[in-house]
Amino acid sequence: MSRYQEALQILKDNDRGEFSVPTHGLYPVQFNWDSAFAALGYRLFAPQRALREVELLLEGQWADGMVPHIVFRGEHDGYFPGPDVWSTGQPIPTSGITQPPVAGSVLRRLIETGVEVDQPRLATMVQRLADWHAWFSVARQCPDTGAIVIVHPWESGRDNLSDWDKAMAAVIPDTGLGEYKRRDLEHVDASQRPTKEEYDRYLTLVRFGRDCNWDQAHLGRNSPFRMLDPGMTAMLLRAERDLIWLQTRVGQDISATQARIRRLEDGWRALWNPSVKGFTSLNQITGEPGQAVSSASFLGPYAGMLDHLSETLDHFDRIAGRVKYMVPSFDPDAPGFDARRYWRGPVWYVVNNRIGLGLREIGELDRSERIRRDTAALSEATGFSEYYDPLTGDGLGGTRFTWSASVYLDWASEQAGAIASTAATAATPGQG
Ligand code: GLC
């Protein structure tokens, strides 16, 4: 079976009817940005299924506008931390935090590439996106800078990035957590997963949310962990620009979106870190900036922001000379880099995809091609892992991963011929 066929098969196998799981076993639930990326893959052989993936994700929206990072649908097989730990009291059980807002950008791509949807249905989805984006300005925007704050490392989607270490070390672990059984360690080697100490602190932050009844504005102002994140800021900024396109299409007013864009542009600029000469995270509580660039530092072009482009590209070239496969999640020259542990160094396709798109759009073709080729080469060598070692190319974490298959199909493989032949023999995805 070719890698292309294998990727299609993974998307079919991880399909649960109207939503996909990131992978069988390790993550048996619907994740926010995973679903958005899954839709990019489904688009190629089941366009209506792709649309439904995004629509269903948005149907998990809270009354306050937040679209949660996990929606517990169907059989979730004792996933930990499950609905009882989050205890959010939502009609559909969900987690109590959000995740990178890429759904709007993906929806635009679906519509632009010909996925059909009637106007009222699209208008409902667009309104939900607008409400979610507006929620960020109420619950997750730093009032001083305009950058987006995360209240839990999981919210960033880049869960255990070295950037979060110091701020997490300052979170006093809850001593009343009791015994708990992590399910991730049943599926993946412990050396590639967060440590027990990190996990205690993750759960302490969940407890903080539960104790304030998930009052999101309160969390945004008072969580003991509040980091300004270039990843979230850039992805929201891009999603807002794509929202304008969608709102125009359905005749909705764009003025509030435009105002939010201006504020987010200030926010992105505020993350410029002169000592690192890159866009980095910033601890909102202590005012301390990050010590090194991460993959999110390269998302400026994707967000439509070209400030400090030459310094940013200098970092890109330095790192490109250090690793075999771009883009490592954390600077390989910085302390805290670990080529194999989760977000502390490995390559993740979804971030590659967004960085690559942005660079291509501004005409940085050699650099965007380097990322695309490296991504394709990783899969051709080892298949569709959760993430990859940037030095050796080893596939790590979970296997048969939806978003890796999807990004490969949609972008990395760029096999126009294969897409055409797949469409001709299109089968509907199975009910996994
Ligand atoms: C991990 C990742 C997160 C992703 C989830 C499901 O928690 O850090 O970004 O959404 O797995 O794939």
Side-chain angles (χ1 to χ4, degrees), residues 21-23 26-27 29 31-35 69-70 79 99-100 153-154 156-160 193 342-343 348 350 386 401 403:
V21 293
T23 184
L26 179 62
Y27 299 120
V29 292
F31 272 80
N32 189 322
W33 69 328
D34 296 68
S35 260
H69 108 286
I70 291 177
Y79 179 80
Q99 242 192 347
W154 294 342
S156 69
R158 287 145 53 244
D159 300 15
N160 71 330
R193 296 289 307 178
Y342 219 40
W343 289 93
W348 294 72
V350 286
E386 185 176 7
F401 233 79
W403 68 14

Side-chain angles (χ1 to χ4, degrees), residues 2 5 24 72 105 151 153 172 183 223 246 283 341 383 427:
S2 70
Q5 293 300 331
H24 179 73
F72 294 98
S105 300
V151 301
I172 300 160
R183 302 297 299 268
S223 169
L246 289 163
N283 188 329
R341 199 185 279 269

Side-chain angles (χ1 to χ4, degrees), residues 381-393:
T382 59
F384 300 97
S385 295
E386 185 176 7
Y387 49 94
Y388 301 82
D389 183 323
L391 306 175
T392 64

Side-chain angles (χ1 to χ4, degrees), residues 62 64 71 166 207 300 328 347 386:
W62 288 20
D64 68 3
V71 186
K166 236 178 151 176
R207 168 107 196 246
V347 175
E386 185 176 7

